Amino acid sequence: MHTCYISLPILLLFLLSWTHQAAAHLSAASQFLAPQNAARATLRMPPLVWDSKLARYAQWYANQRRYDCDLRHSNGPYGENIFWGSGSGWSPAQAVTAWVSERKWYDYWSNSCAGDQECGHYTQVVWRKTRRVGCAKVNCSGGKGVFMTCNYDPPGNFIGERPY
């Protein structure tokens, strides 16, 4: 019988590294999740839950945009919000705030956006049937800015349906 021993300092170093990575992941998740759930709470909608499958998809797509930071959708099977900001100081909460700020353009009674304004990011965040979300952020190469995306399941924004 062979016994393997790991020294206490090495074990502690491993655990600290692992918990730091886990905390960073949870922090990023909560930065995306908390403001979206706050917007949903104002409408008495159930909170979204973080989904690691959606987060992996979001990270995969964000990595595709890392080189050009092009503000275009993945056209995948999920609902999707995307964000681009110049420079490097953008936080997940700022991206979500930009999406949620479109609330002012959404008219519930006509179920449409005012004028030529955009409000589909907001309606996706608060879409009644959506339950899960996963998001990602990348700093684009060559100082092209920051790209963030959130993916939603089930997706929302179906023509003729109200978000709530």
Side-chain angles (χ1 to χ4, degrees):
M1 178 159 135
H2 296 277
T3 304
C4 179
Y5 293 100
I6 298 175
S7 73
L8 186 57
I10 291 174
L11 179 61
L12 287 174
L13 191 61
F14 169 77
L15 289 174
L16 285 174
S17 171
W18 181 81
T19 55
H20 175 71
Q21 291 170 3
H25 172 72
L26 289 175
S27 175
S30 66
Q31 285 183 50
F32 279 112
L33 197 54
Q36 293 186 78
N37 282 335
R40 292 174 67 87
T42 65
L43 298 168
R44 297 189 176 135
M45 304 299 295
L48 298 173
V49 296
W50 189 259
D51 185 287
S52 58
K53 178 181 175 186
L54 293 172
R56 283 191 302 275
Y57 180 85
Q59 189 64 60
W60 169 82
Y61 187 64
N63 288 340
Q64 305 303 304
R65 301 278 59 90
R66 179 184 304 272
Y67 302 104
D68 59 13
C69 227
D70 194 11
L71 196 58
R72 76 179 128 139
H73 287 280
S74 70
N75 297 317
Y78 307 113
E80 184 172 69
N81 282 345
I82 56 176
F83 173 90
W84 172 82
S86 64
S88 61
W90 295 93
S91 71
Q94 288 173 307
V96 174
T97 298
W99 298 330
V100 171
S101 74
E102 293 176 359
R103 178 182 184 169
K104 65 183 171 278
W105 304 118
Y106 178 67
D107 178 48
Y108 181 81
W109 303 112
S110 67
N111 192 29
S112 63
C113 304
D116 292 332
Q117 300 299 320
E118 183 74 37
C119 65
H121 300 100
Y122 167 70
T123 54
Q124 175 58 81
V125 168
V126 298
W127 196 262
R128 171 184 43 244
K129 295 177 184 172
T130 298
R131 294 291 179 252
R132 294 170 297 285
V133 65
C135 308
K137 170 186 171 181
V138 294
N139 289 311
C140 298
S141 61
K144 292 183 180 98
V146 175
F147 181 89
M148 290 184 249
T149 180
C150 287
N151 291 95
Y152 303 86
D153 191 48
N157 288 341
F158 292 101
I159 294 171
E161 289 186 33
R162 293 190 195 287
Y164 48 87

